[in-house]
Amino acid sequence: MSWADSSPGMQAGNLPINGHSQEEENPQYPRPWDQRKKIVVVGLGMVGIAFIEKMIKMDAKRREYDIVVIGEEPHLAYNRVGLTSFFQHRKVENLYLNQQEWYTKVPDGALNYHLNTRVTEIHPSNRVVSTSTGATVPYDILVLATGSDALLPRHTPGYDAKGVFVYRTIEDLQKLINFADTCKGSTGAVVGGGLLGLEAAKAMMDLETFGEVKLIERNRWVLSRQLDGDAGGMVVDLVRNLGLDVLLSKRVGRIEVDKNNAVKGVLFEDGEHMDCKCLMFAIGIKARDELARRSGIKCADRGGGIVVNPDLMTSEENVYAIGECASWESQTFGLIAPGIEMAEVLAFNLTQAKVHSSRKFKRPDLSTKLKLLGVEVASFGDFFADRDGPKDMPSRRHAAKKGEGISNGEAKVRNITNGPPPPPVKALTYKDPFKAVYKKYLFTLDGKYLLGGMMIGDTKDYVKLVPMVKNQKMLEVSPSEFIVGAKKDGDDDAADLTNDTQICSCHNVTKGDVVNVIKDGTCKSIGEVKSCTKAGTGCGGCMPLVQSIFNAEMKAMGTEVLNHLCPHFAYSRADLFNIIYVKKLKTFPEVIKECGKDGNSMGCEVCKPALGSILASLYNQHVMDKPLHGLQDTNDQFLANIQRNGTFSVIPRVAGGEITAEKLIVIGTVAKKFGLYCKITGGQRIDMFGAKKQDLIAIWTELVNGGMESGHAYAKSLRTVKSCVGTTWCRFGIGDSVGMAVRLEERYKSIRSPHKIKGGVSGCVRECAEAQNKDFGLIATEKGFNVFVGGNGGAKPRHSELLAKDVPPDDVVPILDRYLMFYIRTADRLQRTARWIEQLPGGIRYLREVVLEDKLGICAELEKQMNELVGTFFCEWTETINNPERRKAFQEFGNTNETQETVEKVEERGQSRPAYWPKESVTEDFRGTKWSSLSWQPMIESSKFVDGPSGSSTNVKRGDTQLAIFKIRGQWYATQQMCPHKRTFAMSQGLVGDDVATNQLWVSCPFHKRNFLLGGDEAGKCTNDPEVSMATFAVEEREDGWVYLKLPPVEELDERLGTSRWKVKQGEREEPFRKLDEKLKGLKGRKPFQASHLDGGMGAEGAVRTITAGGNGSIDW
């Protein structure tokens, strides 16, 4: 999908909203009228108008240019390729590439045109052109698109007789029509059996005035420049069956005329004679370079044409030539495609090269696909590679080593004695004379690459094969499958998995386990499947597959599959987004009252974060503000990723992976000061692990003070836009990948979405940024960027799909604005873009229609909505640091400033990490504990709790035991702080849910979503893991302003629930690399060496001490 060909929403006069980079935010854009440069285009043909269209589109935001075009014909630009149709309707307007209204709708002053006017002279020194009307037109840039003239054989006697025509312009066709009426029933002939000749023959036949029409071709078959003998011979048979008499191997020696110099016949060089009254020549074209020659601009001596450089500039500065008049590497091109490519290269360089490397015109793709006289004909790639040898072989991974093979001298001897070796090409040919189908595909000798080919009759695979050749893509199937077809792959779901296939590695759940609980009626919802099988309750990576299995089985049983968000809502996430958006609901109570099954419900651990994300996506309020804070999962509650020992990780924003030495020093200083474990992330950021909750404020104060900001690694939002170095440094780069990545990350940072979003930008096809496995990815091309979407890693990796091709840098942002906002609006909860695109009706094709073609008419609204979000950006950590109320949340215990470690530290490779979790859960019956005695103990001031709609909670310490206290709608609850599943101490940070039907409340562990009941006879019971339970305690608020808990003696409580007893220690689980390390005899996988590889080197610690201490070896700031 080419962006240039598929973007009506981006045409001139319909500009994207704020779709520009920081450079375009500068007040100098758009340019005022008196600062714009003037481009004069000579020639209003197909290439000239293509250049104008592309200039207007690419210059729409900057408005650096105004264009004046001067056309020699009295008509607006028309479709020369479709000239044949003129004989049916006889209306020039039907051939116009743009109707007259288009020329008046372009931005004011951007385009002026002059028809029926010929440029007679160019004055490069004065930058002025003279016209046939006597006017002079100044220019800053001159573009010559003068095209070509049809060739006439002036050496052939009679070439100037009455009845001799060429097939080139509307005027040529008008002359033919008028003449044909004077010789009805006579014979008409066309000389030339190429593409133009067959078109001309059809035109003569469509006139229906000639008694018969003949085609004269000097070769043994037609279309000899596109087809081999077999294919060309088949075309001859087909067109003869359609009534065209084809004469092969014939050359015109003389045109015979009567006394009035009118054509009466043709004498061929072999002596044969043919009667005819009308003769049309379609034997080639000649570049129109006479204007350039008169002005001293260099032109090719042989073959003609205005000589151009790869950037299409002529020998005169600021004078360019494009289309059939241009001679590139001593070649001119008579096809429209190379001319359009030239127009695009020049328009791109004039408008986009400021933010992208400039493009060069390269060897064009001469592939053609036409319907000639009703016959489908196509040739693509290097279609004569077997005859002439391949022009450009695909690059090989391993080149031959020096000295291998035969010497040059030996090769010459072999060529003399045996003849030259055959081309390194193999052909695969299919010929069906009954259906008139011919296919010939050319491959490398190993069958790994397709080089080119030709097709007659059946050309439907043309669009698929051309990019394979153009991109030199290694084939994934055998060559024979291009002819006989491939086996149909299975659908991309779990249908092809056997029941013993493991789908959840965390809990060793097989597909059969899930299928059985659905079929026997045990589980009727995805939540029940998770509870019964534990699938999806570990890392959660298997949930998309579990969901697919659930949907497939329910559908097979004839049961309706609902995608309701949770039991509290009879709506999907997308439905709720739209309701909240339309009704402008801004708090959870408003949403539950308007949309919930029970307006008084508290929700649950599923719907609260989802609704918190929707509200953030719409209004971008701080997630720690009171109405929203209770909806957040632990990560968002504390703006950091909780780790398995209850500490948090800290990741500052490093946009595009670009960071200064000063900021590296800031990060290093913070990590050293707070003893944090450091690791480079896959998204090119620095992750610091082991931050205690109570230290987060201090850590982020130092980071923000050092010029850094939140990286939002804790949120379901944009994580990073990874980049290679691109043209910033790389010698292979063709696009500024770092600059684009920084702009995109800065634009979309902090925006909440259904799931995390990752981006990537690669500066060339080497793809070092791995952009094709990201939610959105860009790969620089010579024309701009290819935009890929819907890729991701994870449990079910997916390669991204091409959304738009060759997008100019200026247009990247509006496309991504639309794509991301459409995803945020319509995706399900925790649904990555990969699964979302798979479930769209029509997949990527539908997405293109919505985003590029504005099928739903919502593109302007999507851009506006994204702009509003971008405009409300703030750094969440900066706002938290500056807000005393938000700072209160960062305390380990509500009743003391003490701290406790819950997982033992292990020193490894110069850093400390938490010991591994034990494999088994703690299955002791905490809920059924019998205490020797219980007494009321004051624990914490009640003023530290807020009776909000989501409740509030905190962790308290008594002796060595940690306890969680909850206040929910005026009621008090207390439990142990430790979740027995993995011995994590975070229950007070869990989200509370309710079931209105049973009047039960539960708290969900933030680590692995084990749900424990809070009140009633079953308090402490785990509803989705019967192996574990928790101790609960009576609690009450008293008039003295304190919250009291009914607890056993301290010693008894500590013996049962003390942190020291349940602290995870090294050695509880076998080290995973113990046997490997014994075998390698290394230091944790590293080869042993001293502090430094240098003799007497200080090593990392010694060097840091020297640098920070000052003096010799320190940094001179």
Side-chain angles (χ1 to χ4, degrees), residues 216-236:
I216 302 167
E217 168 57 36
R218 64 181 182 177
N219 293 305
R220 290 180 289 113
W221 63 87
V222 296
L223 299 175
S224 57
R225 291 192 177 185
Q226 287 80 30
L227 304 177
D228 63 11
D230 287 342
M234 181 174 283
V235 173
V236 169

Side-chain angles (χ1 to χ4, degrees), residues 1033-1044:
F1033 304 93
V1035 56
E1036 65 182 25
E1037 179 185 3
R1038 295 188 178 178
E1039 292 181 357
D1040 60 3
W1042 281 74
V1043 177
Y1044 286 71

